[in-house]
Amino acid sequence: MTIPMPATRKERADATREAILYEAERVFAATGFRAARLEDIADAVGIRRPSLLHHFSTKKMLYDAVEQRIFENMHAVCEARTAGVEDPTARLLAHLDAWLDFFIDRPSAARILQRLVADTAVRGDNPVEFSYVALEDMDRTLAYGIARGAFVPLSTMTFVNGVAAGILFFVCNSRQVGEQRRYDPSDPADKAVFRTLLHKLACTAVLP
């Protein structure tokens, strides 16, 4: 990641911290928390390990900052896409579109979430320490439709596991299915086909 040289010391520190988070997300997505090395992240940023530790004193603190930022950014995108959408079905589909587009634009975030599902030890006794914000967003979207009589009663986790989780597989698995089945999640045609299916699944799940 190339970062411009800001003028003040604080601006330089902020830019370095942002570069560390960017490269750390990429490394954690590729190798997982346990295998990731702070030296590799520092090298990618163009700094030494002690400089990285000045910003994040442990690998766990850096990982937590990466995960927190993912979910905060995901929340911001969701809020922007659903703001002012009053029709419950349209709001739900906009919510799913926000998640889909977010992860297609940022596949490293999708891979980190897949790793979190598989490796529950990373979050320890508080598995929703940072992901709670995304789950609460979906709580509100579904509750909005249910309260207006537009949706059948359905738990957030049933919907997320049965419908929304497919987004992670679509984004992450394109190279894991063999040459003859390979696709490109960012290709407009492939994305449009998947988005249509996602919308159909969502409507089937929630509409009476």
Side-chain angles (χ1 to χ4, degrees):
M1 180 183 183
T2 302
I3 54 176
M5 289 301 296
T8 69
R9 178 179 297 180
K10 181 181 185 304
E11 287 174 341
R12 289 195 295 272
D14 290 345
T16 300
R17 187 178 188 277
E18 180 65 22
I20 291 170
L21 289 170
Y22 176 89
E23 295 296 346
E25 182 176 313
R26 184 182 61 80
V27 171
F28 285 133
T31 66
F33 172 75
R34 288 176 177 79
R37 299 171 67 247
L38 293 180
E39 292 83 357
D40 294 336
I41 297 170
D43 286 346
V45 177
I47 60 176
R48 299 181 64 185
R49 189 174 187 272
S51 297
L52 186 152
L53 292 173
H54 173 74
H55 293 272
F56 302 95
S57 58
T58 67
K59 183 167 74 168
K60 182 62 164 56
M61 286 182 64
L62 176 55
Y63 183 86
D64 286 352
V66 167
E67 188 182 328
Q68 182 177 16
R69 189 176 73 149
I70 287 172
F71 284 109
E72 287 177 349
N73 294 165
M74 188 176 169
H75 169 72
V77 170
C78 181
E79 287 277 281
R81 295 283 286 273
T82 59
V85 181
E86 296 185 0
D87 177 76
T89 302
R91 179 181 291 197
L92 177 62
L93 298 184
H95 192 147
L96 288 173
D97 284 346
W99 283 6
L100 175 63
D101 294 336
F102 175 80
F103 287 122
I104 286 177
D105 291 341
R106 197 164 162 181
S108 57
R111 293 188 183 97
I112 286 177
L113 262 64
Q114 274 202 329
R115 289 185 178 278
L116 282 171
V117 172
D119 187 0
T120 57
V122 175
R123 289 267 61 88
D125 295 333
N126 187 8
V128 295
E129 183 174 358
F130 302 117
S131 62
Y132 77 91
V133 65
L135 296 175
E136 288 183 352
D137 283 342
M138 187 56 74
D139 284 341
R140 286 189 291 272
T141 294
L142 292 174
Y144 180 81
I146 292 169
R148 282 155 182 75
F151 297 168
V152 297
L154 184 71
S155 75
T156 293
M157 291 320 304
T158 297
F159 183 83
V160 168
N161 289 331
V163 178
I167 294 172
L168 296 182
F169 285 93
F170 176 70
V171 173
C172 296
N173 291 357
S174 62
R175 298 182 180 274
Q176 311 298 323
V177 291
E179 285 296 327
Q180 69 188 54
R181 302 178 188 85
R182 183 173 291 189
Y183 60 92
D184 180 1
S186 63
D187 180 83
D190 289 340
K191 182 166 62 173
V193 170
F194 181 79
R195 193 189 306 274
T196 298
L197 175 61
L198 185 67
H199 287 189
K200 288 181 179 179
L201 291 172
C203 290
T204 299
V206 301
L207 296 181

